[in-house]
């Protein structure tokens, strides 16, 4: 672990970011030239003291999980992330098509979407990050572990996962989920996480097996969606999709046309969802 170079790298990356770059409000009478240490710590989900000790060349060697969180909080590119790992005495993570490190371009767009629900998904439907309005609309989709991180796995194994959509739309969403999983399997191949999800669902879900036999394939694209909210009822929304260059991460943005009931309900969601901010 090169404490001196690690501290210098963290400090320069922090100072290169402005609050608006990461979707944070600019505080009045701001003294720091970039982000403050407490802002980076909050973005990375760790204590300010822990992060500060790294910049002060103190503290224990950070784990790979901590480094991944810091890399995401500082919006590092893949090359910068790998550099961070090496400075901390770890091997750089193996670069595979499926990655939990959110595309830098998608993250920059997400940070600027402060007035509409938005989230970044992997090709398996794993929610990698979501803004507070997406949490208010859909609940926390980042808390799952194992195969359950995949929305298609939850769809066929956990009935409660379907509650965010009206029951009459379930058939359509099931087909879309399976078709997207087929596309992910083709991209990632045998032995991949996509293959593990497929194998498990073929054993657990007759419904999935029947849909899998239809051999439909499609990447996720924009479409009209109806979302069932526990307090606001059904929201009729447009779901726009932006693909990363790797084609294995997507940014989903939920919007509604001005003047519609869905638009009014999204405005109400901002008030209801402020508890998640």
């Amino acid at each position: 672990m090169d404490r001196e170079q690690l501290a210098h790298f963290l400090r320069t990356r922090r100072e290169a970011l402005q609050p608006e770059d990461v979707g944070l409000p600019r505080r009045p009478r701001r003294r720091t030239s970039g982000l403050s240490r407490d802002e980076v710590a909050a973005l990375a989900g760790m204590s300010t003291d822990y992060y500060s000790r790294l910049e002060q060349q103190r503290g224990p060697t950070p784990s790979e999980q901590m480094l991944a969180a810091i890399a995401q909080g500082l919006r590092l590119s893949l090359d910068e992330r790998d550099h961070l790992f090496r400075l901390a005495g770890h091997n750089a993570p193996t670069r595979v098509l499926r990655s939990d490190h959110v595309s830098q371009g998608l993250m920059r767009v997400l940070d600027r979407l402060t007035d509409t629900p938005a989230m970044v998904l992997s090709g398996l439907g794993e929610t990698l990050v979501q803004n507070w309005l997406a949490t208010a609309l859909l609940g926390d989709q980042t808390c799952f572990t194992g195969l359950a991180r995949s929305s298609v796995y939850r769809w066929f194994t956990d009935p409660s996962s379907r509650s965010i959509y009206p029951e009459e739309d379930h058939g359509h969403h099931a087909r879309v989920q399976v078709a997207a999983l087929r596309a992910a399997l083709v991209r990632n191949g045998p032995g991949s996480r996509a293959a593990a999800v497929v194998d498990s669902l073929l054993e657990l879900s007759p419904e999935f097996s029947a849909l899998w036999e239809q051999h439909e394939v499609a990447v996720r694209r924009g479409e009209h969606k109806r979302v069932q909210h526990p307090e606001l009822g059904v929201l009729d929304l447009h779901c726009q999709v932006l693909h990363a260059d790797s084609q294995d991460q997507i940014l989903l943005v939920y919007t509604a046309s001005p003047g519609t009931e869905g638009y009014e309900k999204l405005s109400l969601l901002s008030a209801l969802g402020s508890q998640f901010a």
Side-chain angles (χ1 to χ4, degrees):
M1 179 176 175
D2 190 332
R3 293 182 182 275
E4 180 180 358
Q5 288 301 309
L6 175 63
H8 183 266
F9 181 64
L10 291 174
R11 186 175 66 255
T12 56
R13 293 306 89 206
R14 173 173 61 82
E15 293 175 349
L17 287 173
Q18 298 301 316
E20 51 268 27
D21 293 332
V22 295
L24 295 175
R26 179 171 286 275
R27 299 172 182 171
R29 299 179 182 178
R30 191 177 185 86
R31 296 181 179 180
T32 56
S33 59
L35 293 182
S36 64
R37 288 174 176 171
D38 65 296
E39 287 171 331
V40 173
L43 289 169
M46 61 186 60
S47 71
T48 301
D49 178 68
Y50 182 92
Y51 178 79
S52 297
R53 281 186 290 160
L54 292 177
E55 283 200 11
Q56 295 165 353
Q57 304 181 40
R58 301 187 295 116
T61 300
S63 66
E64 293 183 354
Q65 290 79 11
M66 283 292 191
L67 292 171
I70 291 171
Q72 202 67 73
L74 288 172
R75 308 311 193 239
L76 301 184
S77 67
L78 282 175
D79 289 336
E80 290 170 332
R81 180 206 64 177
D82 292 352
H83 183 62
L84 174 68
F85 270 68
R86 294 187 182 105
L87 288 177
H90 293 280
N91 293 324
T94 302
R95 293 200 186 187
V96 295
L97 187 59
R98 188 198 72 82
S99 173
D100 289 344
H101 184 78
V102 178
S103 159
Q104 195 177 41
L106 293 187
M107 201 69 206
R108 283 197 297 266
V109 177
L110 180 67
D111 286 333
R112 284 159 175 76
L113 295 173
T114 58
D115 61 350
T116 194
M119 56 205 295
V120 177
L121 305 180
S122 74
L124 286 179
E126 299 163 325
T127 301
L128 304 179
V129 62
Q130 58 187 146
N131 65 11
W132 68 275
L133 273 171
T135 302
L137 178 66
L138 305 170
D140 184 2
Q141 301 289 303
T142 65
C143 61
F144 301 99
T145 60
L147 295 182
R149 291 183 62 202
S150 170
S151 61
V152 62
Y153 183 86
R154 297 196 305 274
W155 184 269
F156 292 101
T157 60
D158 180 6
S160 67
S161 68
R162 304 189 180 198
S163 63
I164 61 175
Y165 300 114
E167 186 174 356
E168 56 268 30
D169 296 347
H170 288 181
H172 167 74
H173 286 294
R175 289 181 58 194
V176 169
Q177 294 262 22
V178 174
L181 178 57
R182 175 82 68 175
L185 178 61
V186 171
R187 287 194 305 270
N188 292 274
S192 65
R193 188 176 180 86
V197 171
V198 171
D199 291 343
S200 181
L201 288 178
L202 287 173
E203 291 184 6
L204 296 173
S205 173
E207 180 189 4
F208 173 83
S209 299
L211 290 171
W212 190 253
E213 282 299 309
Q214 296 180 21
H215 208 118
E216 293 183 336
V217 58
V219 297
R220 294 176 186 267
R221 304 187 188 280
E223 61 174 340
H224 174 81
K225 282 189 177 182
R226 298 197 304 157
V227 177
Q228 179 77 50
H229 190 272
E231 296 183 60
L232 299 177
V234 176
L235 286 78
D236 287 280
L237 303 173
H238 303 290
C239 184
Q240 274 76 37
V241 177
L242 176 64
H243 288 263
D245 291 340
S246 66
Q247 294 296 306
D248 207 50
Q249 288 183 358
I250 58 174
L251 173 66
L252 296 184
V253 183
Y254 293 89
T255 64
S257 300
T260 65
E261 185 180 6
Y263 186 86
E264 296 300 323
K265 287 185 176 181
L266 276 184
S267 299
L268 291 173
L269 182 70
S270 298
L272 291 173
S274 60
Q275 59 185 304
F276 296 101

